[in-house]
Amino acid sequence: MVNTKALSENQRRECLEKIKKEETPTMTGVELYYKGEKKRFDVYKIPLANLVYNPYNGRIGTKVRTFEVTKRTINPEIEEDIKIIEEFLWDSRPDRNKKTMRSLLKDGQLEYGIVSKNGFIIDGNRRASLLNKLNNERKDYERKGTNTDHCQYFNAIILDDDADKKEIVALETNYQLGREEKLDYNAIEKYLKCKQLVEFGFSKDKIAKMMGLESAEKKVENYLDILQLMEEYLEYYEYTGMYTMLEKREGPFLDLNGYINAYKKQSGNAKTDWNPQEDDINDMKVLCFDYIRMQYEGKEFRVISKNGKSPVATSFFANEKIWHDFKQEHFETIDSIKEDPIDFYIERAQNDDEIIANLEERDEVWKSKVGNKLKQNLKHNTNKLENKQQADKPYMLLDKAINALRDIDENQDSLYNENVLESIKSINKKSNELCSIVKKELKARRKI
């Protein structure tokens, strides 16, 4: 099993060096992009006892960081913390893990991992943990007639030297977030990886390549902006560094980050019927934080502060009267309740496993106190906004039409044909008709 006997770093290094010298590889000539160039490596069968988990890998990095903020630094070389890492790895994808365990029993390890010369698992922590679990339960399998001997080993590339933390992070990024199949990894991890790689001194262009991102530096900068917003959210609720409290909330942060940027820049796609200042945008941000905490998303979340090109309000924030009423009711509700401090929930934990569950309980208690009122306030003002939009529907349609005409590229050859000309004539005719109708009605109303 993975180092529950806490082999020293030197012992692990000696064991792996001996394997490379004396054992026959299971695969040869495997290409790996390492330290800036492609190199060829062999894959060896390694006893799991010679390896150590990487606790900061993409599946469980957020849980480990949360644990370390609330308790202590995890040491992957001691038995107590090995068990914690394995629990985090199992809980990350229990259904997928059960399926992989069945595959490991039947077919063996089909994908090789990567380990450093001193025995840290860079890629393959989940598979190694499942092999370790199979070993721990081998008596049960043997009673059923299932052979688990092959589960004592982990097939992996052994790097040529001790990878320091910077190199481990770079390799892990290439082989986890840089792959197309990223579903196994925590959605928040990519933002944390960006920040970590910047702190290690990697350029934004290099980070984009490692993570398989398009638009290079622009995408990395966007990730960093979103993470900053996420960290503001955590700090706002006393969750600083507790990244698990962001789980299942990624989408609204992406939306909110875009809204904030649009309103701050006062761009053409951020029209309102008032002139919101920085304090107003900050109010909008923290109010949205509450709905993110409630785990609102999609249309229900976007109606709060979505930006748009139309003069007709696309959200509460775009209409001064609706926004004022909505905001006032919201903050009266929030200010009316008192929340227990974070330490109350951390200290209640009977053991280390309960910490994250207790933090989640804090959110649930808060939701039970404010949830119904926030829901009613949102629904009430959504109805007001819809009434406003329907009242101005002709204007909305005309605004959409004029914007569509403005978007036509006069340099496109496809514009210049008879069918297009006929369409333009029809539009012009209908426009003149509407113009005459509106002028006539306005003239009649002025006489009344």
Side-chain angles (χ1 to χ4, degrees), residues 130-141:
L130 297 178
L131 288 168
N132 194 26
K133 183 174 176 63
L134 289 168
N135 272 307
N136 289 337
E137 300 170 0
R138 64 182 305 160
K139 289 183 179 179
D140 293 335
Y141 288 104

Side-chain angles (χ1 to χ4, degrees), residues 432-448:
N432 287 331
E433 288 174 359
L434 285 173
C435 187
S436 296
I437 292 169
V438 173
K439 279 183 177 179
K440 184 177 180 181
E441 180 63 22
L442 288 175
K443 185 178 179 179
R445 292 183 182 186
R446 282 194 288 266
K447 288 181 179 179
I448 297 174

Side-chain angles (χ1 to χ4, degrees), residues 394-412:
Y395 187 93
M396 290 177 68
L397 293 172
L398 289 168
D399 186 66
K400 184 177 180 180
I402 192 65
N403 283 326
L405 290 171
R406 286 170 180 161
D407 287 340
I408 292 174
D409 185 354
E410 296 174 11
N411 296 315
Q412 290 289 327

Side-chain angles (χ1 to χ4, degrees), residues 235-253:
E235 185 177 354
Y236 187 72
Y237 298 111
E238 302 180 72
Y239 291 141
T240 302
M242 304 176 198
Y243 293 100
T244 52
M245 306 312 293
L246 299 171
E247 289 183 2
K248 299 180 181 178
R249 292 174 170 87
E250 179 190 16
F253 280 112

